[in-house]
Amino acid sequence: MNELRDVARWGTPADAVSLSSGVRDLLGAALGVTGPRPAAATADLPAGRLSETVLKELRSVCPTVTTDDAARLAHAAGKSTDDLLRLRAGQAGDAPDAVARPAAQQQVADLLAVCSRLRVAVVPFGGGTSVVGGLAARREGFAGVLAVDLAALDRLVHLDRVSRTATFEAGVRAPRAEQLLAAEGFTLGHFPQSFEYASLGGFAATRSSGQASAGYGRFDRMVVGLRAATPIGLLDTGRAPESAAGPDLRQLLLGSEGAFGVITELTVRVRPAPRARHYAGWSFPSFDAGAHAVRALAQDGPLPTVLRLSDETETAINAATGGPQADGCLAVVGVEGTAEDVAGRTAALEQRLAGLGGTPLGTGPGEAWQEGRFRAPYLRDALLDAGAIAETLETATFWDRLPATYAAVRAALMENLSGAGTPPLVLCHISHVYDSGASLYFTVVAAQAEEPVAQWQAAKAAASDAIATSGATITHHHGVGRVHRPWYTREIGDVGVAALQGVKQALDPHGILNPGILLP
């Protein structure tokens, strides 16, 4: 038996939140939550399957390979609600048999060569923040599973002030990257909800999108070069910002989730750190009206750095739990840059949003959102403690399909989480915008059933079917992992699957890299 401690929670224990008695009463009255669900104190770890002979060979190329139970447990799962519920029940069956912590890129390449020869499955591990089962490799047919933790690859290799690019090792965590860049007057500008713990390599491997994507872009569009270790050697991509030299091989690695190679180094575009910021709230009478305004900004400008729109339910729940007060739907509009640029764009936005039917709410709602934007995972822990199920899912679609996708996914979640006769809370916001479409991000809170993992899986499957039927993509920024794989294969079709399997066979002929993730 092994102590779970804080493995089955998000982030730093000191930052944990507690629900007030009023909120607990509200959960009972509104959702039928019956009471706390205490987590198990310990977890059962299966015995490690890697033989001493295999471990000796692994350690010959990477001395820091450990079979320590605490290390294995710390790498047993990501941070989805499924993951946390299983760990809270003491189930750690997906824990790797050993954990390697390579200190250099060549060690990663050497490990993959050994693992390929000995048929050891490899799970690349960055910050461990996957919410789609991306760390649960298939075990069948392999001698065991090795987690390759890249945390020691944490250097800023080179900063090019002229080209405004920075080359990092892939294990650098996002806060450290921002700290290193800030010392030189730059920023990456990538702030997803996982920011505090995720790695740059993980951002690339999952096509992450940050909360300021309207201004700074998605992470995959920031990447101008990648280096990856594969079982057959190193792959270097990107020697110019754009190129006509055949298909862009960077795109094979971006979003590949470790299935084609382990990203060890990446070169990213950086920008001067903003000197000024202005975040404000705007209200719109309905989600449709707000979506029309958001689309107008995305297509015709002016485009802010941050642009988000909550639906009526999310706006009301946020207001009821101490968040920004707004009638109808709340939009958060943020601008960053030089003082002159921020002043000019803010004035233009105010004029444009007023003309689109918006009501200004001042800077309070925008600043409140900024202050609490990384807090939601801690709130989820508190809701799980109280006996509620809390989870998120996201998609993206073209503007003309957005209303139908929103309605279909919301209906699927409402129907499939109302088993006890008490409807769930289904919240949604537009989180990322483009001239041709946007991302919808749903949050669900419901009373836990007797088997909460099965409860959520059924609801998630229904919502995923609704996403696919509406013509939207199965994921905008969470990635495919295990959870989305059936719908992803439907989305790209048989020919697309065959093309990716061909790449897999070429780069990973023995299939050791994250087996069961991304590809069927």
Side-chain angles (χ1 to χ4, degrees), residues 275-277 335-348:
R275 299 296 184 90
R277 292 180 174 86
V335 181
E336 299 183 359
T338 65
E340 181 180 8
D341 174 52
V342 168
R345 277 201 290 160
T346 296

Side-chain angles (χ1 to χ4, degrees), residues 7-9 71-80 82-88 91-96 123 125 127-136 147:
V7 174
R9 293 181 173 276
R72 293 177 60 208
L73 186 58
H75 294 78
K79 296 298 183 182
S80 71
D82 277 14
D83 292 328
L84 300 187
L85 286 171
R86 288 192 185 95
L87 288 175
R88 284 163 175 254
Q91 302 168 9
D94 288 327
V123 178
F125 192 97
T129 60
S130 171
V131 293
V132 290
L135 303 177

Side-chain angles (χ1 to χ4, degrees), residues 260 485-486 488-504 518-520:
F260 300 150
R485 190 180 58 188
Y488 174 61
T489 56
R490 285 166 53 187
E491 187 170 317
I492 65 173
D494 292 342
V495 173
V497 170
L500 293 182
Q501 287 175 332
V503 174
K504 176 76 168 175
L518 185 72
L519 297 173

Side-chain angles (χ1 to χ4, degrees), residues 30-41:
L31 300 179
V33 175
T34 57
R37 296 287 184 97

